[in-house]
Every structure is written in structure tokens, then in C-alpha cells.
Amino acid sequence: MGTRSRNHVTVSGRAGGPVVMLAHGFGCDQHMWRLVVPLLERDFTVVVFDHVGAGQSDLSAWSPERYATLDGYTDDVLAICRELVLGPLTFVGHSVSAMMGVLAAAREPDAFAGLVLLAPSPCFIDDPATGYRGGFSADDIDELLESLDANYLGWSGAMAPVIMGNPERPELGEELTNSFCRTDPDIARVFARVTFLSDNREDLAKVTVPTLVAQCSVDAIAPPEVGAFVQSRIPGSRLVTLDATGHCPQLAAPEETAAAITDFVRAVH
């Protein structure tokens, strides 16, 4: 099976323009980029896709063995790059997909003109021994995963608004809740463990392509210390703090998010 059908790959925008690939996070699909894509299509070729197990991807391609770590997702990203043959592209990874971009760029740097890491976290769990602050204790994460296992739909309804932030705009939290609830619970349980238990701190230094770390001013999932840590570990990277709040700026502040991506892509091309 080709990657286009497996990952429901969609290509749009300006033919021959710099290529921007947008990768969604846990519990989401490419629909989460719908407000940003039209703003990028004016200048760039835009590639969006669904991770296997999400959206309109081929669910039969999912297996708990292949997708038990970020490596399976990273393999998919690189396969899409090879099949599209669009030249070095800028990969925009949201949340856990940011680390997929880190791994992919470390493995095949020539495939990438640059990385935009949007609300990234290389490790969600605090590490008192090194002073690293990921935002959650190990007990917090254990409790989160136990709650997800026990009642995924209930967990989605409780957690999605927290992740989204912007309580004055409840429709955003509702959209994320609905997105979570569309995900098969068995797939979500595996992906949640990959998302919240991975530790990619040591991989950051392996990135050699231009990188923008874009964090939100207030984010319950990836606090400012995390963005600063990522920027400090990727040689030559740049950090920008968006005015946007919450963990999903592509929904909460699409214009600001698109502007940050646009400025970076123009600079690296």
C-alpha cells in the first residue's frame, strides 16, 4: 500500500513553492490544521496527513507492535517524504509530532529544509535528578493513563478542555473532545503511552537542520520551561513564544501560528 492512501496524504497550495508538511498530535487528525492550511497555501505547497490510527488513515495498517514507539510514526513520515519526492521540506510537528520530526531529521537530515516544533515536549515527566521540568510527576502520568484505560470517553471529556485551554472559548475544548472521541480507544491507549512516556531529550542534540521552537505563552501540557529546554539542546535553533494560550495554537490562534511558520519557511528557503 502506498503512503498516500495509508496516511490519507493531501497536497495543496502553490505548485513549485517551498513545501510545508503539517503533522498532528495525539487524538487529532489533519482536520486540526484546517484554519492554518488556507493561510499557507498562498505561498507554499502544503502537505497534511493522518497518522496511522487517526482520521481517515487505513486503520488496517495499524498494529500495537509497529506503533508502540515513535519509531513507527517516524518511519511513516520519512516514507511520505520519499514517495512525494517534493525535495527538502519544512516539517511542522505539533506536540508529540514535534519529536517525530526531531527523530526523522536526525535520521535523514537531507529530507528537511527545517523543522518547526509547535508546543513540543521531549519528555512530559519531571526529572528531579537533572532538574528537568516536564510539567508532570511520574505519579501524575500514571494516574492519567490509568484514567484513560478505565474510561476513555470520560477521560476525553475531562482532559480535552484542559489541554486546549482557552476556557472562554468552550467550543475549542468541545472540538478537541470530539476529536479524541473519534479515535479508537484501543489505538488511543497505545498512542497515549507513546506520547506521555517517551523521553527524547537526548535526541535533540542530533538535529542539524534549522529549527524553530514555537511555544504558547500559557500551556498546561508543555510549560515555557520545556520550550526553553528544547531550544537550548538543538544547536542553532530559535525560540518564539506565541501570544496564543493553550496547547493547540493552530485552532486557538491560526493567524499567529501561520505567520510564525511563514516567516521561518521564507528564512530557510
Side-chain angles (χ1 to χ4, degrees):
M1 179 192 305
T3 60
R4 281 180 178 262
S5 55
R6 184 192 66 202
N7 289 93
H8 190 229
V9 178
T10 304
V11 181
S12 63
R14 183 163 74 85
V19 182
V20 179
M21 176 186 283
L22 306 173
H24 66 83
F26 168 82
C28 302
D29 58 30
Q30 62 183 261
H31 188 64
M32 300 295 282
W33 294 106
R34 71 185 185 283
L35 302 179
V36 169
V37 168
L39 303 176
L40 299 178
E41 286 176 329
R42 307 164 186 164
D43 301 302
F44 312 124
T45 297
V46 181
V47 179
V48 292
F49 67 98
D50 295 330
H51 291 305
V52 170
Q56 297 183 54
S57 67
D58 182 358
L59 298 185
S60 70
W62 185 86
S63 73
E65 295 79 24
R66 177 177 172 82
Y67 295 103
T69 71
L70 288 179
D71 289 334
Y73 294 99
T74 302
D75 290 342
D76 288 353
V77 167
L78 292 171
I80 294 169
C81 292
R82 286 191 290 269
E83 184 167 316
L84 294 181
V85 197
L86 291 172
L89 56 81
T90 298
F91 179 89
V92 182
H94 173 237
S95 193
V96 65
S97 282
M99 292 306 110
M100 298 173 196
V102 164
L103 295 173
R107 198 188 303 174
E108 295 187 21
D110 290 346
F112 300 93
L115 297 179
V116 177
L117 310 181
L118 185 64
S121 178
C123 180
F124 285 95
I125 300 174
D126 298 337
D127 183 0
T130 63
Y132 173 79
R133 180 171 180 265
F136 298 87
S137 69
D139 288 343
D140 289 337
I141 295 297
D142 287 343
E143 184 178 330
L144 181 151
L145 294 173
E146 287 171 6
S147 174
L148 185 152
D149 287 344
N151 181 359
Y152 177 63
L153 295 181
W155 178 89
S156 298
M159 279 299 297
V162 174
I163 293 170
M164 178 59 70
N166 296 277
E168 74 286 357
R169 299 169 66 189
E171 70 278 5
L172 296 179
E174 182 177 344
E175 175 168 346
L176 190 60
T177 298
N178 291 337
S179 180
F180 282 8
C181 292
R182 285 194 300 271
T183 305
D184 180 281
D186 291 332
I187 293 174
R189 290 184 184 102
V190 175
F191 197 13
R193 278 166 172 74
V194 174
T195 297
F196 292 108
L197 297 178
S198 293
D199 185 349
N200 298 103
R201 288 177 290 171
E202 296 301 316
D203 296 302
L204 299 174
K206 302 173 186 175
V207 175
T208 58
V209 303
T211 301
L212 175 69
V213 181
Q215 67 180 20
C216 294
S217 58
V218 178
D219 186 342
I221 301 300
E225 296 93 331
V226 174
F229 178 88
V230 172
Q231 188 276 324
S232 72
R233 294 303 193 275
I234 298 179
S237 63
R238 187 166 65 87
L239 174 67
V240 62
T241 300
L242 306 175
D243 290 334
T245 61
H247 192 59
C248 301
Q250 68 269 58
L251 282 181
E255 294 86 359
E256 185 184 22
T257 302
I261 295 169
T262 296
D263 290 346
F264 176 77
V265 175
R266 286 175 175 163
V268 299
H269 283 274

